[in-house]
């Protein structure tokens, strides 16, 4: 059966408010149990080792209970934070629309539950942030150039800062997002950068 | 992927059991379905959530506890790779199945399914 069919089945069941509330609860705890196991196995850790990495440490038996969706004891937010610390991952608790719940509940491959530790993820975060900064700088350069264009009153087609041939959907006004940077004429942006420096 | 056993008339006793609120309250059904969804994406099933029945070769029980009721879904891995067929739903009380004949019925049904693949349908998460 496809994920879409599973989703449709669940969606129909969720129309019943009692089922919806119950599923919400079970979805949270079942997800936590399985993700905890997935994260532990991803790191090649035993339950004992995971317990020792938590801050403060937890007994192996406690980890075993936390990985069991049938256990009576449910983890508190504080327990999850201790485990997040031990696994060196973030913890996000937020209200979401049911479409998200449906999506998560039907994508249950254990690999999808794995999360890199901060150290493993750090080089990628660094690269992404540097790219974002670069884009922000380019946008700033463009905006400055655009303001100069407005100020000097030059508004003929040849001086438009984007390449209208690049797409039929080329913007007809000042681009507002980095997406529109793709239409920038490189030399025009360079000129703006020189102007900004001067 | 989960499948449900169906009888010779095409009736799905697994679905009927799950949808019978007197046996499986709505909240218990929500838990059973959520756990089945998760197991469907999990290659390795381990105790205490699933275990082989020692005296009934090939039969696996999926264990779901809701409130003080122990639900047991008896089934087997198959008939094809990466498939699990739910054969008989039962309860467990004091280390015994209710009904007691649950594992025997499961063994019989496993033979039926292995002989005739039309005796299973895809499990629906309703």
């Amino acid at each position: 059966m496809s994920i879409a069919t599973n989703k449709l089945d669940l969606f129909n069941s969720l129309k019943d408010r009692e089922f919806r509330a119950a599923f919400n609860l079970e979805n949270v705890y079942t997800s936590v149990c399985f993700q905890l196991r997935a994260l532990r196995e991803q790191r090649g850790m035993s339950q004992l080792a995971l317990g020792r990495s938590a801050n403060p440490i937890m007994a192996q038996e406690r980890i075993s209970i936390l990985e069991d969706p049938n256990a009576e004891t449910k983890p508190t937010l504080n327990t999850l934070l201790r485990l997040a610390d031990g696994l060196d991952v973030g913890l996000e608790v937020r209200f979401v629309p049911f479409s998200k719940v449906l999506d998560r509940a039907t994508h249950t491959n254990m690999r999808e539950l794995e999360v890199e530790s901060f150290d493993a993820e750090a080089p990628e975060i660094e690269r992404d942030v540097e790219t974002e900064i670069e884009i922000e700088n380019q946008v700033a350069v463009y905006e400055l150039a655009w303001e100069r264009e407005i100020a000097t009153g030059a508004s003929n087609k040849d001086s438009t800062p984007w390449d209208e041939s690049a797409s039929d959907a080329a913007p007809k006004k000042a681009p507002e997002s980095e997406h529109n940077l793709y239409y920038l004429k490189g030399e025009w942006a360079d000129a703006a950068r020189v102007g900004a420096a001067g | 992927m989960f499948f449900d056993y169906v009888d010779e008339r095409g009736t799905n006793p697994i679905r009927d059991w799950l949808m019978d609120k007197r046996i499986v309250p709505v909240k218990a059904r929500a838990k059973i379905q959520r756990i089945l969804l998760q197991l469907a994406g999990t290659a390795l099933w381990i105790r205490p959530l699933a275990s082989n029945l020692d005296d009934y070769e090939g039969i696996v029980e999926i264990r779901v506890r809701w409130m003080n009721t122990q639900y047991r879904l008896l089934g087997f891995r198959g008939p094809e790779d990466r498939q699990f067929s739910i054969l008989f739903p039962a309860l467990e009380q004091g280390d015994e199945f209710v009904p007691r004949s649950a594992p025997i019925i499961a063994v019989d049904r496993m033979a039926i399914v292995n002989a005739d693949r039309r005796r299973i349908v895809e499990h629906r998460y309703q």
Side-chain angles (χ1 to χ4, degrees):
Chain A
M1 195 182 302
S2 71
I3 287 174
T5 311
N6 292 346
K7 223 183 244 189
L8 181 63
D9 281 349
L10 264 184
F11 170 65
N12 285 326
S13 294
L14 289 173
K15 289 175 183 171
D16 173 353
R17 195 170 178 90
E18 189 184 2
F19 184 93
R20 196 156 71 234
F23 191 83
N24 215 10
L25 176 103
E26 298 305 339
N27 189 50
V28 169
Y29 288 123
T30 303
S31 299
V32 166
C33 292
F34 278 88
Q35 191 174 27
L36 192 58
R37 195 182 117 199
L39 293 175
R40 181 174 61 75
E41 288 177 353
Q42 181 191 6
R43 287 156 179 74
M45 295 169 95
S46 64
Q47 290 179 338
L48 183 69
L50 175 57
R52 283 181 177 164
S53 73
N55 182 24
I57 63 169
M58 294 181 188
Q60 175 270 324
E61 292 79 5
R62 181 91 189 275
I63 302 296
S64 175
I65 288 169
L66 289 167
E67 289 184 6
D68 179 7
N70 286 322
E72 263 185 81
T73 313
K74 303 296 184 196
T76 63
L77 193 52
N78 187 47
T79 301
L80 296 179
L81 283 166
R82 286 166 63 187
L83 290 164
D85 184 48
L87 293 160
D88 199 15
V89 294
L91 179 69
E92 195 177 39
V93 179
R94 63 195 315 189
F95 297 104
V96 294
F98 267 99
S99 53
K100 289 266 185 211
V101 175
L102 269 176
D103 207 42
R104 292 268 168 87
T106 49
H107 287 83
T108 53
N109 190 307
M110 289 293 267
R111 295 298 300 270
E112 293 187 41
L113 299 177
E114 294 180 356
V115 178
E116 296 290 350
S117 68
F118 180 83
D119 284 344
E121 197 190 12
E124 195 182 332
I125 296 175
E126 218 156 28
R127 267 198 311 276
D128 288 351
V129 172
E130 280 169 7
T131 305
E132 273 179 49
I133 290 170
E134 202 173 304
I135 289 169
E136 279 177 9
N137 288 342
Q138 285 175 353
V139 169
V141 166
Y142 173 77
E143 283 174 349
L144 182 64
W146 179 259
E147 282 165 14
R148 280 168 175 264
E149 181 79 0
I150 298 292
T152 56
S155 59
N156 61 66
K157 188 172 181 290
D158 290 342
S159 66
T160 51
W162 55 81
D163 182 357
E164 291 189 335
S165 65
S167 165
D168 289 338
K172 300 299 179 193
K173 62 182 181 64
E176 290 167 358
S177 73
E178 67 244 32
H179 172 76
N180 291 333
L181 279 171
Y182 294 116
Y183 302 114
L184 271 177
K185 284 177 178 172
E187 66 273 25
W188 206 90
D190 288 344
R193 193 175 293 114
V194 169
Chain B
M1 184 184 286
F2 283 99
F3 288 80
D4 292 348
Y5 169 86
V6 290
D7 67 18
E8 64 276 9
R9 290 169 298 174
T11 304
N12 183 339
I14 315 303
R15 185 178 185 281
D16 290 350
W17 178 82
L18 269 173
M19 300 305 281
D20 187 340
K21 292 179 185 176
R22 292 165 304 173
I23 306 169
V24 184
V26 171
K27 290 177 181 176
R29 177 161 57 90
K31 180 164 187 173
I32 292 169
Q33 296 287 38
R34 182 60 184 88
I35 284 178
L36 290 181
L37 272 170
Q38 192 65 56
L39 287 176
T42 308
L44 184 65
W45 296 1
I46 54 168
R47 289 183 68 91
L49 211 51
S51 58
N52 298 319
L53 293 190
D54 293 339
D55 298 333
Y56 303 91
E57 197 180 341
I59 301 296
V60 175
E61 63 169 355
I62 295 171
R63 306 150 69 99
V64 180
R65 180 180 176 279
W66 182 78
M67 302 295 278
N68 289 320
T69 307
Q70 301 278 0
Y71 297 95
R72 300 289 182 261
L73 298 173
L74 305 185
F76 78 108
R77 295 177 191 278
E80 305 292 339
D81 284 348
R82 304 172 64 84
Q83 293 182 347
F84 187 92
S85 299
I86 303 169
L87 301 165
F88 193 80
L91 301 178
E92 188 179 319
Q93 286 174 2
D95 285 338
E96 288 200 346
F97 285 111
V98 177
R100 280 190 181 189
S101 57
I104 297 166
I105 297 170
V107 170
D108 288 346
R109 287 181 176 181
M110 178 169 63
I112 292 170
V113 171
N114 277 327
D116 183 359
R117 307 292 158 94
R118 290 170 300 178
R119 296 294 292 273
I120 49 169
V121 293
E122 288 181 11
H123 179 80
R124 304 295 298 265
Y125 295 92
Q126 293 169 320

mmCIF file of all heavy atoms in Angstrom, chain A residues 53-95:
data_model
loop_
_atom_site.group_PDB
_atom_site.id
_atom_site.type_symbol
_atom_site.label_atom_id
_atom_site.label_comp_id
_atom_site.label_asym_id
_atom_site.label_seq_id
_atom_site.Cartn_x
_atom_site.Cartn_y
_atom_site.Cartn_z
ATOM 1 N N SER A 53 25.672 8.978 28.706
ATOM 2 C CA SER A 53 25.950 10.243 28.005
ATOM 3 C C SER A 53 24.943 11.328 28.369
ATOM 4 O O SER A 53 25.166 12.502 28.126
ATOM 5 C CB SER A 53 25.938 10.016 26.480
ATOM 6 O OG SER A 53 24.606 9.830 26.046
ATOM 7 N N ALA A 54 23.802 10.915 28.956
ATOM 8 C CA ALA A 54 22.795 11.909 29.338
ATOM 9 C C ALA A 54 23.311 12.732 30.510
ATOM 10 O O ALA A 54 24.176 12.286 31.259
ATOM 11 C CB ALA A 54 21.490 11.210 29.714
ATOM 12 N N ASN A 55 22.768 13.913 30.631
ATOM 13 C CA ASN A 55 23.235 14.799 31.696
ATOM 14 C C ASN A 55 22.052 15.316 32.506
ATOM 15 O O ASN A 55 21.278 16.115 32.000
ATOM 16 C CB ASN A 55 23.992 15.981 31.070
ATOM 17 C CG ASN A 55 24.544 16.915 32.116
ATOM 18 O OD1 ASN A 55 24.765 16.515 33.257
ATOM 19 N ND2 ASN A 55 24.742 18.156 31.742
ATOM 20 N N PRO A 56 21.882 14.896 33.794
ATOM 21 C CA PRO A 56 22.677 13.882 34.487
ATOM 22 C C PRO A 56 22.392 12.479 33.927
ATOM 23 O O PRO A 56 21.412 12.282 33.238
ATOM 24 C CB PRO A 56 22.205 14.008 35.939
ATOM 25 C CG PRO A 56 20.971 14.794 35.931
ATOM 26 C CD PRO A 56 20.836 15.480 34.635
ATOM 27 N N ILE A 57 23.269 11.536 34.267
ATOM 28 C CA ILE A 57 23.204 10.215 33.659
ATOM 29 C C ILE A 57 21.901 9.476 34.032
ATOM 30 O O ILE A 57 21.280 9.793 35.049
ATOM 31 C CB ILE A 57 24.426 9.343 34.023
ATOM 32 C CG1 ILE A 57 24.484 9.081 35.514
ATOM 33 C CG2 ILE A 57 25.704 9.948 33.511
ATOM 34 C CD1 ILE A 57 25.509 8.012 35.866
ATOM 35 N N MET A 58 21.541 8.530 33.187
ATOM 36 C CA MET A 58 20.336 7.720 33.420
ATOM 37 C C MET A 58 20.736 6.251 33.423
ATOM 38 O O MET A 58 21.658 5.850 32.703
ATOM 39 C CB MET A 58 19.326 7.913 32.285
ATOM 40 C CG MET A 58 18.743 9.297 32.184
ATOM 41 S SD MET A 58 17.554 9.319 30.822
ATOM 42 C CE MET A 58 17.194 11.054 30.759
ATOM 43 N N ALA A 59 19.985 5.447 34.164
ATOM 44 C CA ALA A 59 20.258 4.004 34.206
ATOM 45 C C ALA A 59 19.841 3.361 32.880
ATOM 46 O O ALA A 59 18.936 3.860 32.201
ATOM 47 C CB ALA A 59 19.478 3.378 35.351
ATOM 48 N N GLN A 60 20.493 2.266 32.534
ATOM 49 C CA GLN A 60 20.162 1.527 31.295
ATOM 50 C C GLN A 60 18.683 1.133 31.285
ATOM 51 O O GLN A 60 18.023 1.197 30.241
ATOM 52 C CB GLN A 60 21.063 0.287 31.194
ATOM 53 C CG GLN A 60 20.771 -0.637 30.029
ATOM 54 C CD GLN A 60 19.750 -1.711 30.372
ATOM 55 O OE1 GLN A 60 19.730 -2.220 31.485
ATOM 56 N NE2 GLN A 60 18.888 -2.039 29.425
ATOM 57 N N GLU A 61 18.168 0.742 32.453
ATOM 58 C CA GLU A 61 16.765 0.313 32.546
ATOM 59 C C GLU A 61 15.825 1.449 32.147
ATOM 60 O O GLU A 61 14.786 1.235 31.542
ATOM 61 C CB GLU A 61 16.436 -0.151 33.977
ATOM 62 C CG GLU A 61 17.133 -1.432 34.413
ATOM 63 C CD GLU A 61 18.578 -1.236 34.841
ATOM 64 O OE1 GLU A 61 19.042 -0.072 34.896
ATOM 65 O OE2 GLU A 61 19.262 -2.251 35.099
ATOM 66 N N ARG A 62 16.237 2.653 32.492
ATOM 67 C CA ARG A 62 15.418 3.830 32.171
ATOM 68 C C ARG A 62 15.372 4.035 30.654
ATOM 69 O O ARG A 62 14.321 4.327 30.088
ATOM 70 C CB ARG A 62 16.043 5.047 32.872
ATOM 71 C CG ARG A 62 15.317 6.348 32.663
ATOM 72 C CD ARG A 62 14.283 6.578 33.749
ATOM 73 N NE ARG A 62 13.437 7.726 33.454
ATOM 74 C CZ ARG A 62 13.762 8.960 33.745
ATOM 75 N NH1 ARG A 62 14.900 9.226 34.334
ATOM 76 N NH2 ARG A 62 12.952 9.955 33.451
ATOM 77 N N ILE A 63 16.511 3.846 30.010
ATOM 78 C CA ILE A 63 16.567 4.000 28.550
ATOM 79 C C ILE A 63 15.685 2.933 27.899
ATOM 80 O O ILE A 63 14.943 3.206 26.953
ATOM 81 C CB ILE A 63 18.022 3.870 28.023
ATOM 82 C CG1 ILE A 63 18.935 4.922 28.681
ATOM 83 C CG2 ILE A 63 18.063 3.992 26.500
ATOM 84 C CD1 ILE A 63 18.598 6.348 28.372
ATOM 85 N N SER A 64 15.766 1.729 28.446
ATOM 86 C CA SER A 64 14.958 0.624 27.920
ATOM 87 C C SER A 64 13.468 0.969 27.997
ATOM 88 O O SER A 64 12.718 0.745 27.040
ATOM 89 C CB SER A 64 15.262 -0.646 28.721
ATOM 90 O OG SER A 64 14.422 -1.681 28.320
ATOM 91 N N ILE A 65 13.058 1.542 29.100
ATOM 92 C CA ILE A 65 11.650 1.936 29.268
ATOM 93 C C ILE A 65 11.288 3.053 28.281
ATOM 94 O O ILE A 65 10.223 3.042 27.661
ATOM 95 C CB ILE A 65 11.395 2.375 30.734
ATOM 96 C CG1 ILE A 65 11.427 1.147 31.648
ATOM 97 C CG2 ILE A 65 10.085 3.135 30.865
ATOM 98 C CD1 ILE A 65 11.449 1.467 33.134
ATOM 99 N N LEU A 66 12.209 3.988 28.118
ATOM 100 C CA LEU A 66 11.938 5.122 27.226
ATOM 101 C C LEU A 66 11.811 4.684 25.762
ATOM 102 O O LEU A 66 11.182 5.355 24.961
ATOM 103 C CB LEU A 66 13.047 6.174 27.361
ATOM 104 C CG LEU A 66 13.050 6.946 28.677
ATOM 105 C CD1 LEU A 66 14.350 7.721 28.834
ATOM 106 C CD2 LEU A 66 11.855 7.889 28.741
ATOM 107 N N GLU A 67 12.432 3.552 25.433
ATOM 108 C CA GLU A 67 12.353 3.046 24.055
ATOM 109 C C GLU A 67 11.141 2.143 23.843
ATOM 110 O O GLU A 67 10.925 1.663 22.731
ATOM 111 C CB GLU A 67 13.638 2.271 23.702
ATOM 112 C CG GLU A 67 14.850 3.161 23.547
ATOM 113 C CD GLU A 67 16.086 2.383 23.098
ATOM 114 O OE1 GLU A 67 15.962 1.176 22.801
ATOM 115 O OE2 GLU A 67 17.162 2.995 23.049
ATOM 116 N N ASP A 68 10.382 1.896 24.897
ATOM 117 C CA ASP A 68 9.243 0.978 24.807
ATOM 118 C C ASP A 68 7.921 1.756 24.736
ATOM 119 O O ASP A 68 7.509 2.369 25.719
ATOM 120 C CB ASP A 68 9.249 0.052 26.037
ATOM 121 C CG ASP A 68 8.076 -0.912 26.035
ATOM 122 O OD1 ASP A 68 7.333 -0.954 25.025
ATOM 123 O OD2 ASP A 68 7.901 -1.627 27.047
ATOM 124 N N PRO A 69 7.246 1.728 23.577
ATOM 125 C CA PRO A 69 5.996 2.479 23.459
ATOM 126 C C PRO A 69 4.886 1.948 24.365
ATOM 127 O O PRO A 69 3.886 2.630 24.576
ATOM 128 C CB PRO A 69 5.602 2.330 21.987
ATOM 129 C CG PRO A 69 6.563 1.411 21.358
ATOM 130 C CD PRO A 69 7.612 1.037 22.341
ATOM 131 N N ASN A 70 5.071 0.731 24.893
ATOM 132 C CA ASN A 70 4.049 0.175 25.788
ATOM 133 C C ASN A 70 4.320 0.479 27.258
ATOM 134 O O ASN A 70 3.523 0.090 28.118
ATOM 135 C CB ASN A 70 3.962 -1.343 25.601
ATOM 136 C CG ASN A 70 3.274 -1.717 24.305
ATOM 137 O OD1 ASN A 70 2.316 -1.058 23.896
ATOM 138 N ND2 ASN A 70 3.762 -2.741 23.636
ATOM 139 N N ALA A 71 5.414 1.149 27.528
ATOM 140 C CA ALA A 71 5.749 1.430 28.926
ATOM 141 C C ALA A 71 4.746 2.410 29.525
ATOM 142 O O ALA A 71 4.222 3.275 28.830
ATOM 143 C CB ALA A 71 7.153 2.010 29.016
ATOM 144 N N GLU A 72 4.493 2.228 30.801
ATOM 145 C CA GLU A 72 3.557 3.127 31.487
ATOM 146 C C GLU A 72 4.143 4.513 31.660
ATOM 147 O O GLU A 72 3.460 5.516 31.551
ATOM 148 C CB GLU A 72 3.220 2.540 32.874
ATOM 149 C CG GLU A 72 1.929 1.759 32.901
ATOM 150 C CD GLU A 72 1.589 1.307 34.302
ATOM 151 O OE1 GLU A 72 1.049 2.120 35.057
ATOM 152 O OE2 GLU A 72 1.881 0.135 34.628
ATOM 153 N N THR A 73 5.442 4.547 31.944
ATOM 154 C CA THR A 73 6.111 5.824 32.183
ATOM 155 C C THR A 73 6.356 6.543 30.863
ATOM 156 O O THR A 73 6.898 5.966 29.932
ATOM 157 C CB THR A 73 7.471 5.581 32.871
ATOM 158 O OG1 THR A 73 7.265 4.673 33.945
ATOM 159 C CG2 THR A 73 8.060 6.878 33.392
ATOM 160 N N LYS A 74 5.943 7.780 30.818
ATOM 161 C CA LYS A 74 6.164 8.588 29.619
ATOM 162 C C LYS A 74 7.236 9.634 29.914
ATOM 163 O O LYS A 74 7.304 10.163 31.023
ATOM 164 C CB LYS A 74 4.871 9.308 29.202
ATOM 165 C CG LYS A 74 3.693 8.365 28.962
ATOM 166 C CD LYS A 74 3.940 7.427 27.798
ATOM 167 C CE LYS A 74 2.724 6.559 27.505
ATOM 168 N NZ LYS A 74 3.038 5.407 26.655
ATOM 169 N N PRO A 75 8.072 9.933 28.929
ATOM 170 C CA PRO A 75 9.149 10.887 29.186
ATOM 171 C C PRO A 75 8.635 12.314 29.366
ATOM 172 O O PRO A 75 7.683 12.722 28.704
ATOM 173 C CB PRO A 75 10.009 10.780 27.923
ATOM 174 C CG PRO A 75 9.098 10.269 26.869
ATOM 175 C CD PRO A 75 8.094 9.414 27.559
ATOM 176 N N THR A 76 9.267 13.029 30.272
ATOM 177 C CA THR A 76 8.931 14.440 30.454
ATOM 178 C C THR A 76 9.821 15.259 29.518
ATOM 179 O O THR A 76 10.799 14.746 28.959
ATOM 180 C CB THR A 76 9.203 14.884 31.900
ATOM 181 O OG1 THR A 76 10.621 14.739 32.132
ATOM 182 C CG2 THR A 76 8.440 14.040 32.901
ATOM 183 N N LEU A 77 9.486 16.520 29.406
ATOM 184 C CA LEU A 77 10.285 17.413 28.572
ATOM 185 C C LEU A 77 11.720 17.477 29.095
ATOM 186 O O LEU A 77 12.689 17.482 28.326
ATOM 187 C CB LEU A 77 9.638 18.804 28.570
ATOM 188 C CG LEU A 77 10.120 19.801 27.529
ATOM 189 C CD1 LEU A 77 10.084 19.214 26.135
ATOM 190 C CD2 LEU A 77 9.268 21.051 27.596
ATOM 191 N N ASN A 78 11.839 17.485 30.413
ATOM 192 C CA ASN A 78 13.167 17.535 31.019
ATOM 193 C C ASN A 78 13.988 16.286 30.669
ATOM 194 O O ASN A 78 15.184 16.381 30.358
ATOM 195 C CB ASN A 78 13.027 17.670 32.545
ATOM 196 C CG ASN A 78 14.367 17.886 33.195
ATOM 197 O OD1 ASN A 78 15.153 18.709 32.754
ATOM 198 N ND2 ASN A 78 14.652 17.119 34.239
ATOM 199 N N THR A 79 13.335 15.131 30.661
ATOM 200 C CA THR A 79 14.029 13.887 30.291
ATOM 201 C C THR A 79 14.505 13.960 28.839
ATOM 202 O O THR A 79 15.629 13.569 28.517
ATOM 203 C CB THR A 79 13.081 12.680 30.464
ATOM 204 O OG1 THR A 79 12.658 12.627 31.814
ATOM 205 C CG2 THR A 79 13.756 11.379 30.091
ATOM 206 N N LEU A 80 13.641 14.465 27.977
ATOM 207 C CA LEU A 80 14.006 14.566 26.552
ATOM 208 C C LEU A 80 15.179 15.521 26.364
ATOM 209 O O LEU A 80 16.069 15.276 25.539
ATOM 210 C CB LEU A 80 12.799 15.022 25.728
ATOM 211 C CG LEU A 80 11.604 14.065 25.705
ATOM 212 C CD1 LEU A 80 10.476 14.638 24.868
ATOM 213 C CD2 LEU A 80 12.013 12.693 25.164
ATOM 214 N N LEU A 81 15.194 16.585 27.135
ATOM 215 C CA LEU A 81 16.311 17.537 27.035
ATOM 216 C C LEU A 81 17.621 16.893 27.496
ATOM 217 O O LEU A 81 18.679 17.124 26.912
ATOM 218 C CB LEU A 81 16.007 18.790 27.864
ATOM 219 C CG LEU A 81 15.016 19.756 27.203
ATOM 220 C CD1 LEU A 81 14.501 20.778 28.210
ATOM 221 C CD2 LEU A 81 15.657 20.465 26.018
ATOM 222 N N ARG A 82 17.541 16.081 28.525
ATOM 223 C CA ARG A 82 18.740 15.381 29.007
ATOM 224 C C ARG A 82 19.265 14.430 27.933
ATOM 225 O O ARG A 82 20.474 14.320 27.714
ATOM 226 C CB ARG A 82 18.409 14.592 30.278
ATOM 227 C CG ARG A 82 18.235 15.486 31.497
ATOM 228 C CD ARG A 82 17.578 14.742 32.634
ATOM 229 N NE ARG A 82 18.373 13.618 33.135
ATOM 230 C CZ ARG A 82 17.928 12.742 34.036
ATOM 231 N NH1 ARG A 82 16.705 12.859 34.517
ATOM 232 N NH2 ARG A 82 18.702 11.772 34.450
ATOM 233 N N LEU A 83 18.335 13.748 27.270
ATOM 234 C CA LEU A 83 18.742 12.816 26.213
ATOM 235 C C LEU A 83 19.295 13.574 25.001
ATOM 236 O O LEU A 83 20.273 13.142 24.378
ATOM 237 C CB LEU A 83 17.548 11.954 25.786
ATOM 238 C CG LEU A 83 17.095 10.942 26.833
ATOM 239 C CD1 LEU A 83 15.708 10.405 26.510
ATOM 240 C CD2 LEU A 83 18.096 9.783 26.910
ATOM 241 N N ALA A 84 18.668 14.701 24.687
ATOM 242 C CA ALA A 84 19.153 15.520 23.560
ATOM 243 C C ALA A 84 20.588 15.952 23.832
ATOM 244 O O ALA A 84 21.440 15.951 22.938
ATOM 245 C CB ALA A 84 18.245 16.731 23.364
ATOM 246 N N ASP A 85 20.851 16.280 25.076
ATOM 247 C CA ASP A 85 22.208 16.678 25.466
ATOM 248 C C ASP A 85 23.176 15.507 25.261
ATOM 249 O O ASP A 85 24.258 15.669 24.701
ATOM 250 C CB ASP A 85 22.187 17.135 26.937
ATOM 251 C CG ASP A 85 23.547 17.641 27.376
ATOM 252 O OD1 ASP A 85 24.129 18.445 26.633
ATOM 253 O OD2 ASP A 85 24.035 17.206 28.440
ATOM 254 N N GLY A 86 22.748 14.340 25.684
ATOM 255 C CA GLY A 86 23.603 13.158 25.541
ATOM 256 C C GLY A 86 23.855 12.795 24.087
ATOM 257 O O GLY A 86 24.941 12.355 23.724
ATOM 258 N N LEU A 87 22.850 12.994 23.248
ATOM 259 C CA LEU A 87 22.969 12.650 21.827
ATOM 260 C C LEU A 87 23.549 13.807 21.015
ATOM 261 O O LEU A 87 23.845 13.658 19.829
ATOM 262 C CB LEU A 87 21.587 12.276 21.267
ATOM 263 C CG LEU A 87 20.968 10.991 21.824
ATOM 264 C CD1 LEU A 87 19.460 10.970 21.604
ATOM 265 C CD2 LEU A 87 21.610 9.767 21.181
ATOM 266 N N ASP A 88 23.658 14.963 21.652
ATOM 267 C CA ASP A 88 24.157 16.185 21.009
ATOM 268 C C ASP A 88 23.301 16.572 19.798
ATOM 269 O O ASP A 88 23.814 16.818 18.707
ATOM 270 C CB ASP A 88 25.625 16.007 20.593
ATOM 271 C CG ASP A 88 26.291 17.356 20.359
ATOM 272 O OD1 ASP A 88 25.728 18.375 20.792
ATOM 273 O OD2 ASP A 88 27.362 17.379 19.721
ATOM 274 N N VAL A 89 21.994 16.554 20.026
ATOM 275 C CA VAL A 89 21.057 16.985 18.980
ATOM 276 C C VAL A 89 20.108 18.027 19.567
ATOM 277 O O VAL A 89 19.985 18.155 20.780
ATOM 278 C CB VAL A 89 20.206 15.801 18.431
ATOM 279 C CG1 VAL A 89 21.083 14.801 17.707
ATOM 280 C CG2 VAL A 89 19.416 15.122 19.550
ATOM 281 N N GLY A 90 19.440 18.755 18.688
ATOM 282 C CA GLY A 90 18.470 19.742 19.145
ATOM 283 C C GLY A 90 17.159 19.060 19.510
ATOM 284 O O GLY A 90 16.920 17.900 19.161
ATOM 285 N N LEU A 91 16.326 19.776 20.227
ATOM 286 C CA LEU A 91 14.990 19.273 20.557
ATOM 287 C C LEU A 91 14.014 20.395 20.247
ATOM 288 O O LEU A 91 14.179 21.526 20.719
ATOM 289 C CB LEU A 91 14.893 18.880 22.036
ATOM 290 C CG LEU A 91 13.530 18.366 22.482
ATOM 291 C CD1 LEU A 91 13.228 17.005 21.858
ATOM 292 C CD2 LEU A 91 13.461 18.248 24.001
ATOM 293 N N GLU A 92 13.013 20.059 19.435
ATOM 294 C CA GLU A 92 12.033 21.066 19.051
ATOM 295 C C GLU A 92 10.659 20.574 19.465
ATOM 296 O O GLU A 92 10.233 19.505 19.038
ATOM 297 C CB GLU A 92 12.089 21.251 17.538
ATOM 298 C CG GLU A 92 11.410 22.489 17.057
ATOM 299 C CD GLU A 92 11.562 22.661 15.553
ATOM 300 O OE1 GLU A 92 11.495 21.651 14.825
ATOM 301 O OE2 GLU A 92 11.736 23.786 15.119
ATOM 302 N N VAL A 93 9.970 21.340 20.298
ATOM 303 C CA VAL A 93 8.608 20.980 20.702
ATOM 304 C C VAL A 93 7.705 22.100 20.222
ATOM 305 O O VAL A 93 7.856 23.236 20.654
ATOM 306 C CB VAL A 93 8.493 20.818 22.232
ATOM 307 C CG1 VAL A 93 7.066 20.467 22.640
ATOM 308 C CG2 VAL A 93 9.439 19.735 22.730
ATOM 309 N N ARG A 94 6.807 21.796 19.328
ATOM 310 C CA ARG A 94 5.958 22.860 18.795
ATOM 311 C C ARG A 94 4.610 22.307 18.348
ATOM 312 O O ARG A 94 4.488 21.131 18.032
ATOM 313 C CB ARG A 94 6.652 23.571 17.644
ATOM 314 C CG ARG A 94 6.923 22.678 16.457
ATOM 315 C CD ARG A 94 7.898 23.268 15.479
ATOM 316 N NE ARG A 94 7.632 24.656 15.176
ATOM 317 C CZ ARG A 94 8.237 25.335 14.222
ATOM 318 N NH1 ARG A 94 9.154 24.763 13.495
ATOM 319 N NH2 ARG A 94 7.943 26.577 13.999
ATOM 320 N N PHE A 95 3.607 23.185 18.349
ATOM 321 C CA PHE A 95 2.290 22.796 17.836
ATOM 322 C C PHE A 95 2.344 22.836 16.317
ATOM 323 O O PHE A 95 2.958 23.740 15.742
ATOM 324 C CB PHE A 95 1.219 23.758 18.363
ATOM 325 C CG PHE A 95 1.086 23.712 19.859
ATOM 326 C CD1 PHE A 95 1.615 24.722 20.655
ATOM 327 C CD2 PHE A 95 0.450 22.651 20.481
ATOM 328 C CE1 PHE A 95 1.506 24.681 22.035
ATOM 329 C CE2 PHE A 95 0.343 22.597 21.868
ATOM 330 C CZ PHE A 95 0.876 23.611 22.642
#
